[in-house]
Amino acid sequence: MSLDPVAYLPYKDPDDFIREVTDLIWVDRSIHYIRENYEPDSIVHGGLGTSSNRDEVIEGSLMRISATPDRTGQAEDVIWEQRGDDAFLSSHLVLSGHLQTSEFSRTIANCLYRRGRMVEEWVVRDTLAGPLARGEDLDEVAKAQTFRGFSGSWNEPAPADPIAKGDSGVRPDEYRSEVETVIDLIATVWNDRDLQKVEKFFERDLVLLTVGNRLVIRPEGYRRALLRFLESFPGGQFEIRDIQTNYDVRYAGLRVAVVWKFVGDYNGVPNYGPLTGKPVDVLGISQFTFHNGALVKEVRLWDDIALRAQIQGQRGDEPVAFANIY
């Protein structure tokens, strides 16, 4: 099935659409364009919960742009996949930084566009990178956030067969072998904790980019990074909520993007302050890169400051201010 150009006009393809629209809003500061780009009842799932109207997106974007006037971003990857004849799902990896400093961070925004209009979005930002670089107290930073909770599709049961259909709808059955490899990795290494099997999926010289601007290499580094997250939620499990694939030599070939949901009780190592014994709900996105049939790279992001805010809310810690979830 070919994609109707109505899905991405006036641009040449979905990749061009995503890069140019993002620049228009976030670099050229045409915040008003969100009214043309987003449906009025558009849904945005972020680290702090779900928003269900366009005005919240506009307000949140304005606040973020105003707070970081010297910051700009550019596309590091765009993984897009068709959703029916007039829609596509994009996974946009953005590398952003201050023009006068070396401080930078990454964002992944997965957007479902139908006939050129955004209808649902899943977005994660590495909010940990900036506070770490500035030496700030992470718990105090989190107190400026309010976790509102998720709603809509995020609270529905996980897709029974994410190869066939994810939260964004029915997907084309492309690159099945690579998709099955990623699903097997998540089931075996992430959920079953068979960490020895990292080498089964990744080449030896693997690279993992993750929150806090951490760059991890080699299978042992990958294992330790996963353990570092899981040790606070030792019984937690990952759900696969959506998958998309794309082959483009500009972005190093074949990539597979996965939206995942992590749920686990905070009853392990107290890396986020005093334990609560209560479950957390984490939205995360990973982008995997293949070379000659093997995984060579993963970018894995979630909003770690929002996770702290969620846990603080469960303890009854008082927020110092409200921050828009977008």
Side-chain angles (χ1 to χ4, degrees):
M1 180 189 301
S2 61
L3 183 60
D4 190 323
V6 73
Y8 51 80
L9 288 176
Y11 302 100
K12 65 181 182 180
D13 58 27
D15 181 283
D16 192 42
F17 180 102
I18 290 298
R19 288 187 292 107
E20 293 304 319
V21 166
T22 303
D23 253 38
L24 183 62
I25 296 169
W26 291 94
V27 179
D28 298 337
R29 315 305 198 199
S30 295
I31 303 172
H32 80 97
Y33 186 70
I34 294 172
R35 294 196 181 279
E36 300 176 38
N37 190 240
Y38 282 60
E39 291 288 0
D41 57 351
S42 54
I43 299 168
V44 178
H45 309 282
L48 291 166
T50 302
S51 167
S52 57
N53 71 79
R54 183 175 58 196
D55 287 342
E56 288 187 359
V57 176
I58 294 171
E59 292 167 9
S61 300
L62 184 148
M63 291 166 63
R64 187 175 296 277
I65 289 171
S66 176
T68 56
D70 296 325
R71 197 174 186 89
T72 193
Q74 64 183 32
E76 195 170 356
D77 203 339
V78 179
I79 303 172
W80 71 268
E81 189 177 79
Q82 194 167 341
R83 291 292 182 270
D85 60 2
D86 64 352
F88 66 89
L89 177 67
S90 65
S91 185
H92 184 193
L93 174 62
V94 180
L95 178 64
S96 61
H98 287 279
L99 298 176
Q100 305 302 323
T101 73
S102 59
E103 183 184 316
F104 69 95
S105 64
R106 288 180 170 86
T107 295
I108 302 179
N110 275 32
C111 296
L112 177 61
Y113 276 92
R114 191 169 303 281
R115 301 184 71 82
R117 304 271 285 186
M118 214 286 296
V119 295
E120 192 163 5
E121 180 176 4
W122 300 260
V123 59
V124 289
R125 292 184 172 88
D126 182 7
T127 54
L128 189 61
L132 283 178
R134 296 187 293 269
E136 298 173 353
D137 184 305
L138 301 179
D139 289 327
E140 288 302 312
V141 174
K143 285 181 181 178
Q145 309 292 323
T146 300
F147 181 72
R148 297 188 356 184
F150 294 100
S151 61
S153 62
W154 193 253
N155 289 338
E156 296 174 1
D161 180 7
I163 294 179
K165 181 180 181 181
D167 284 352
S168 64
V170 177
R171 61 173 302 274
D173 188 2
E174 296 181 339
Y175 305 105
R176 175 176 278 266
S177 175
E178 288 81 3
V179 170
E180 289 176 342
T181 293
V182 170
I183 291 174
D184 193 11
L185 164 72
I186 293 172
T188 302
V189 177
W190 294 15
N191 282 334
D192 290 346
R193 320 299 202 232
D194 192 351
L195 275 66
Q196 181 190 19
K197 295 286 179 61
V198 173
E199 286 95 335
K200 172 185 175 183
F201 302 98
F202 279 93
E203 288 190 353
R204 180 198 63 193
D205 298 324
L206 71 86
V207 172
L208 168 68
L209 302 177
T210 190
V211 297
N213 274 338
R214 291 181 62 205
L215 188 155
V216 177
I217 63 173
R218 298 277 181 146
E220 181 59 18
Y222 191 95
R223 284 188 277 266
R224 292 187 183 190
L226 183 60
L227 285 170
R228 176 65 177 172
F229 178 74
L230 288 174
E231 66 182 5
S232 294
F233 321 97
Q237 292 283 291
F238 296 86
E239 297 177 357
I240 296 175
R241 306 295 308 199
D242 225 330
I243 297 172
Q244 70 234 73
T245 65
N246 183 267
Y247 185 91
D248 191 328
V249 293
R250 173 171 43 183
Y251 301 117
L254 178 61
R255 293 96 63 234
V256 176
V258 175
V259 177
W260 48 263
K261 178 179 184 177
F262 178 81
V263 178
D265 292 344
Y266 181 43
N267 60 3
V269 177
N271 292 331
Y272 297 88
L275 299 174
T276 65
K278 297 179 180 179
V280 297
D281 188 344
V282 181
L283 163 62
I285 302 176
S286 288
Q287 292 186 349
F288 298 91
T289 302
F290 281 84
H291 178 68
N292 292 334
L295 287 164
V296 295
K297 179 182 177 182
E298 179 189 353
V299 181
R300 184 193 308 155
L301 298 185
W302 68 90
D303 190 329
D304 204 69
I305 296 298
L307 175 54
R308 290 176 184 273
Q310 184 178 161
I311 292 171
Q312 289 177 355
Q314 292 171 343
R315 285 197 300 260
D317 298 355
E318 289 295 325
V320 297
F322 172 76
N324 191 288
I325 69 167
Y326 194 82

